[in-house]
Amino acid sequence: MLSTYDHEAFGSTGLRSSDIAFMARAGMVFLAQMDGETVGGCQLMRMVEEPTMMWGVGFYIRPQWRRQGLGSTFLAGVLELISTLSCSGLMLTVDAGNAAASGLYRSFGFRLLESMPEFYGRGEDRHLMRLDLRET
Ligand SMILES: CC(C)(COP(=O)(O)OP(=O)(O)OC[C@H]1O[C@@H](n2cnc3c(N)ncnc32)[C@H](O)[C@@H]1OP(=O)(O)O)[C@@H](O)C(=O)NCCC(=O)NCCS
């Protein structure tokens, strides 16, 4: 089910069930739920080169629940939880043309670190963004 939601949000780059299984075991998988229904998801892992930082693998709200403030509420909850885990911040990449996600992240204080041409392959340019929790 979670893999279906991931593909609904990200198309062919969505995570497979096996990806989500190892993320749940070795990283973290968060679910946004309303009335028992899963309306969003997020996967994080700790960065090897900067162990106090988390790396966002994915973050989504399912299409029918978007633009109702749930992405903001979910992200705030995720950040609050990781701040209790000796975590200093969160890095992630966002599609260069993804205005919705970029707007959401900027509104939380994420800053653009660099543009990464073809990070996910040909034509798949990404922006690397970073939030330092202790500065917010
Ligand atoms: C990005 C995403 C999680 C936002 O979730 P959401 O629940 O719609 O977000 P919210 O309703 O809480 O909106 C929060 C802010 O995000 C930005 N935003 C959200 N949707 C937007 C849109 N369609 N266009 C421009 N800005 C948008 C705005 O800054 C908004 O604040 P505002 O309502 O005060 O203008 C959602 O669009 C999504 O799941 N997209 C597909 C997956 C994806 O791209 N994930 C990001 C991977 S890096």
Side-chain angles (χ1 to χ4, degrees), residues 26-46:
M28 287 185 280
V29 174
F30 296 92
L31 300 180
Q33 295 196 309
M34 274 202 337
D35 301 326
E37 182 152 14
T38 298
V39 300
C42 169
Q43 309 90 20
L44 303 183
M45 58 189 185
R46 209 174 267 279

Side-chain angles (χ1 to χ4, degrees), residues 44-91:
L44 303 183
M45 58 189 185
R46 209 174 267 279
M47 291 179 67
V48 171
E49 66 179 31
E50 196 177 347
T52 63
M53 289 295 287
M54 296 288 179
W55 181 274
V57 176
F59 183 93
Y60 65 85
I61 295 294
R62 294 177 60 204
Q64 59 270 51
W65 282 283
R66 289 178 193 161
R67 299 258 51 181
Q68 299 169 42
L70 291 176
S72 297
T73 303
F74 186 31
L75 183 56
V78 168
L79 294 174
E80 190 175 329
L81 197 144
I82 64 173
S83 72
T84 68
L85 301 175
S86 305
C87 170
S88 63
L90 177 59
M91 285 176 72

Side-chain angles (χ1 to χ4, degrees), residues 9-10 58-63 65-73 92-95 98-105 107-108 126:
F10 300 113
F59 183 93
Y60 65 85
I61 295 294
R62 294 177 60 204
W65 282 283
R66 289 178 193 161
R67 299 258 51 181
Q68 299 169 42
L70 291 176
S72 297
T73 303
L92 48 79
T93 71
V94 58
D95 184 295
N98 189 341
S102 297
L104 171 65
Y105 298 139
S107 72
F108 275 79
R126 307 287 293 184

Side-chain angles (χ1 to χ4, degrees), residues 108-134:
F108 275 79
F110 280 80
R111 57 199 165 85
L112 175 64
L113 284 190
E114 60 178 293
S115 297
M116 301 188 297
E118 307 203 333
F119 186 64
Y120 278 178
R122 183 171 297 212
E124 299 276 357
D125 302 346
R126 307 287 293 184
H127 283 168
L128 179 62
M129 301 188 83
R130 176 181 180 118
L131 176 70
D132 289 284
L133 288 170
R134 288 173 192 143

